[in-house]
């Protein structure tokens, strides 16, 4: 069967793959990968002191935190299809050990994004106005997505995973796909024109999901022959 | 005539406050600052690589003085721009509008329902109008941020008087340049180009409606809409069309670019109004550009603080419907 790992092996890349696997298994590496991108706005704000960034620093931070929340959400969702599609690829396996951490990090960025929003746009009064009094759909979508991520993060502590039990926990956590869809909508309507970045954040995930569905239908078709 | 006497606002050069930071530097000095010495020598008019240089230094108009409003730092005014012709990122126009796009020489045309259709070189126009004055205006973007900008220019009413509109003329249709070769946003087609804006004739002849050829006492940088642009401080920023090439007088209301893009979000009037939300955000408050991290948000004022001056233009008009 086709496997990415065997491709790499043929290309004499095995040492690289092994190194990558090791790297990705390491918690400190993953933590660094999760935290470092969030600090990026400090560069233009504090180091290069670019006037374009300093003009409205909180807005820059607000956008950036939302952006990282979306990237992490899209990233964590690729882990399962990667494992299904490339079952013997060590990298996919290594990544799947960090599903909870990356998922919770996405929530943490969404929480910081919401905090920046509250600081930037006039606090809870504005949130209540824009979400309930005169609802703006993109804000409502953000709020619902955030609430879902909150519930999923809270139910990701070991005690609650055990309390809920495998099946119920799994069903609940399927809501993450709803959150992702809402985040896509939210991100698109945050802008005056269509933001192309949405395509490269969520495009790869979309392709992987399609490939996974096809693969799962093939294997299911192989096991249970449909009648007729 | 529709035109109120703007002459009475003009003041002698002696009342200009020379200590003001942003005030006109000699032309040679700012050109050196821009580093165009060599490139300029190759042009017909040495030194003038862009912008309209006639009329500087301008005279401060005491009705709109610096003392009342503290201008936003120049470094923000000239880098934080919405000029989609040169990219949708705020700092893109500063880069992309200064890669060979020529704003000098520049011709502006008066056309349509007028007795005096004409084409003017912008520098000649400034001289014909009788020089420039400086006004400090608030600037409020539809995206809920604001600046305070010292503009140099002249009342639009003077231009309207030059054109001498026919009685049927009810609106002005202003058109910006179309040069996809120089403008990356036009090549990408991120909006419909050329950019078009419109005003009612009585709005255009209102004393606040202004044509700017400079800011901070210097010719407009390309990214701010060189060499000539509209400034209507009681309206959202997108109304203030940049780099105007044509002003047409019409009998029917022109369709402005953003209204054509999304009529449910952007209207013809675009009057600043804290009580009428944009469909996707509240307009009740605004971020002060350059205001830093904290306490940099302020309440938005009706007609951006010019209610006393312009409210009478809209008597009887439902502002929630005519946004
Ligand atoms: C209560 C929840 C939320 C609120 C109130 C909120 C608010 C906002 C606002 C106001 C903007 C636009 C800022 C502007 O241009 O003025 C925005 C943009 C954005 N938000 Fe949220 N948001 C929420 C939740 C989320 C969540 C859960 C995610 C992702 C998982 C997210 C991701 C983004 C992204 C990617 C952008 C676009 C940034 C850009 O255009 O560069 N937001 N959000």
């Amino acid at each position: 069967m086709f496997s990415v790992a065997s491709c790499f092996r043929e290309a004499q890349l095995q040492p690289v793959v092994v190194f990558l696997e090791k790297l990705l298994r390491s918690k400190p590496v993953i933590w660094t990968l999760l935290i470092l991108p969030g600090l990026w706005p400090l560069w233009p704000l504090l180091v290069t002191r670019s006037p374009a960034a300093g003009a409205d620093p909180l807005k820059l931070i607000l956008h950036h935190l939302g952006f990282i929340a979306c990237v992490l959400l899209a990233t964590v969702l690729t882990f399962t299809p990667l494992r299904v599609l490339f079952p013997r690829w060590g990298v996919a396996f290594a990544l799947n050990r960090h599903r909870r951490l990356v998922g919770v990090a996405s929530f943490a960025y969404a929480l910081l994004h919401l905090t920046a929003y509250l600081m930037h746009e006039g606090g809870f009064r504005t949130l209540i106005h824009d979400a309930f009094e005169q609802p703006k759909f993109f804000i409502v979508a953000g709020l619902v997505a955030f609430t879902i991520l909150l519930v999923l993060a809270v139910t990701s502590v070991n005690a609650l995973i055990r309390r809920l039990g495998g099946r119920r926990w799994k069903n609940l956590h399927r809501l993450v796909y709803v959150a992702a869809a809402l985040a896509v909508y939210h991100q698109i309507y945050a802008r005056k024109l269509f933001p192309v970045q949405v395509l490269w954040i969520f495009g790869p995930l979309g392709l992987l999901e399609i490939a996974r569905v096809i693969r799962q239908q093939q294997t299911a078709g192989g096991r249970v022959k449909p009648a007729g | 005539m529709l035109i109120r006497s703007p002459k009475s606002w003009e003041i002698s050069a002696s009342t200009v406050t020379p200590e003001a930071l942003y005030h006109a530097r000699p032309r040679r000095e700012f050109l050196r600052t821009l580093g165009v010495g060599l490139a300029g020598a190759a042009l017909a008019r040495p030194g003038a690589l862009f912008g309209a240089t006639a009329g500087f230094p301008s005279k401060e108009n005491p009705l709109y003085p610096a003392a009342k409003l503290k201008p936003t730092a120049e470094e923000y005014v000239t880098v934080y721009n919405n000029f989609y012709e040169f990219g949708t990122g705020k700092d893109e126009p500063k880069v992309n509008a200064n890669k060979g796009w020529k704003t000098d020489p520049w011709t502006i045309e008066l056309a349509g329902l007028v007795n005096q259709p004409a084409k003017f070189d912008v520098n000649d126009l400034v001289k014909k109008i009788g020089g420039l004055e400086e006004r400090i205006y608030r600037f409020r973007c539809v995206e809920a941020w604001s600046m305070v900008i010292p503009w140099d220019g002249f009342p639009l009413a003077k231009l309207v008087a030059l054109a001498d509109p026919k009685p049927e003329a009810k609106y002005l249709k202003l058109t910006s340049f179309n040069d996809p070769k120089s403008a990356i946003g036009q090549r990408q087609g991120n909006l419909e180009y050329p950019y078009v804006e419109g005003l009612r004739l009585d709005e255009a002849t209102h004393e606040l409606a202004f044509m700017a050829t400079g800011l901070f006492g210097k010719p407009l940088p390309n990214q701010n809409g060189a060499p000539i642009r509209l400034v209507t401080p009681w309206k959202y920023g997108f109304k203030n069309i940049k780099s105007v090439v044509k002003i047409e007088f019409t009998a029917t209301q022109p369709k402005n670019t953003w209204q054509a893009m999304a009529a449910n979000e952007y209207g013809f009037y675009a009057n600043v109004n804290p009580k009428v939300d944009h469909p996707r955000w509240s307009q009740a408050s605004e971020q002060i550009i350059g205001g830093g991290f904290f306490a940099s948000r302020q309440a938005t004022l009706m007609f951006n603080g010019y209610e006393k001056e312009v409210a009478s233009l809209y008597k009887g008009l439902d502002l929630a419907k005519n946004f």
Side-chain angles (χ1 to χ4, degrees), chain A residues 61-73:
Chain A
I61 291 169
L62 161 73
H63 278 194
H64 185 69
L65 293 170
F67 169 69
I68 301 288
C70 268
V71 169
L72 291 180
L73 192 55

Side-chain angles (χ1 to χ4, degrees), chain B residues 12-295:
Chain B
S12 72
S14 63
T15 58
V16 174
T17 45
E19 63 277 13
L21 264 176
Y22 46 84
H23 247 286
R25 280 179 273 154
R27 184 176 143 189
R28 222 184 296 121
E29 192 198 322
F30 79 73
L31 286 171
R32 204 176 329 117
T33 320
L34 296 166
V36 295
L38 272 179
L43 292 170
R45 197 136 40 106
L49 195 65
F50 48 73
T53 50
F56 290 94
S58 59
K59 301 172 195 160
E60 190 189 56
N61 183 324
L63 291 177
Y64 310 98
K68 270 204 193 147
L69 294 166
K70 187 174 165 286
T72 306
E74 186 177 349
E75 59 172 351
Y76 297 134
V77 177
T78 55
V79 76
Y80 200 78
N81 307 113
N82 277 332
F83 198 176
Y84 280 19
E85 280 83 342
F86 295 101
T88 54
K90 294 280 184 292
D91 53 349
E92 283 178 82
K94 181 170 182 168
V95 177
N96 295 331
N98 292 297
K99 285 182 178 165
W101 176 50
K102 279 224 270 191
T103 53
D104 175 64
W106 191 275
T107 307
I108 183 168
E109 184 182 359
L110 302 176
L113 303 170
V114 293
N115 292 316
Q116 304 290 337
K119 285 185 181 176
F120 294 103
D121 172 78
V122 174
N123 280 306
D124 296 342
L125 177 66
V126 169
K127 284 173 207 151
K128 194 173 173 75
I129 293 262
L132 303 176
E133 60 176 90
E134 178 185 72
R135 295 184 182 190
I136 322 276
Y137 277 159
R138 301 161 173 280
F139 182 96
R140 171 61 157 78
C141 179
V142 73
E143 296 166 356
W145 52 263
S146 69
M147 296 181 179
V148 171
I149 304 176
W151 300 104
D152 307 277
F154 53 84
L156 176 55
K158 289 193 182 181
L159 204 54
V160 174
L162 269 185
D164 188 10
K166 293 180 173 164
E168 317 85 273
K170 294 286 182 289
Y171 295 92
L172 271 67
K173 176 185 173 194
L174 299 95
T175 307
S176 186
F177 75 104
N178 194 23
D179 179 7
K181 263 207 203 110
S182 307
I184 185 171
Q186 294 185 336
R187 283 204 297 282
Q188 293 164 345
N190 54 20
L191 287 176
E192 260 176 56
Y193 291 111
Y195 196 90
V196 170
E197 260 307 336
L199 290 172
R200 266 179 7 205
L201 187 59
D202 60 342
E203 295 178 315
T205 52
H206 188 278
E207 60 190 50
L208 287 175
F210 201 60
M211 294 303 286
T213 62
L215 43 79
F216 291 93
K218 292 168 281 183
L220 283 173
N222 280 358
Q223 65 271 25
N224 292 88
I228 188 163
R229 61 169 294 170
L230 177 67
V231 182
T232 46
W234 72 97
K235 291 175 178 287
Y236 291 125
F238 69 87
K239 208 70 195 160
N240 299 264
I241 183 169
K242 298 185 176 83
S243 308
V244 178
V245 298
K246 190 173 181 183
I247 300 179
E248 221 176 323
F249 292 71
T250 63
T252 52
Q253 185 173 299
K255 191 152 220 167
N256 45 328
T257 298
W258 276 105
Q259 192 189 2
M261 282 294 291
N264 60 327
E265 302 199 348
Y266 311 100
F268 173 77
Y269 284 97
N271 290 322
V272 176
N273 189 340
K275 291 189 292 266
V276 176
D277 282 7
H278 182 278
R280 289 185 279 124
W281 58 84
S282 155
Q283 296 289 26
S285 65
E286 64 204 30
Q287 189 70 16
I288 304 166
I289 295 303
F293 270 94
F294 304 103

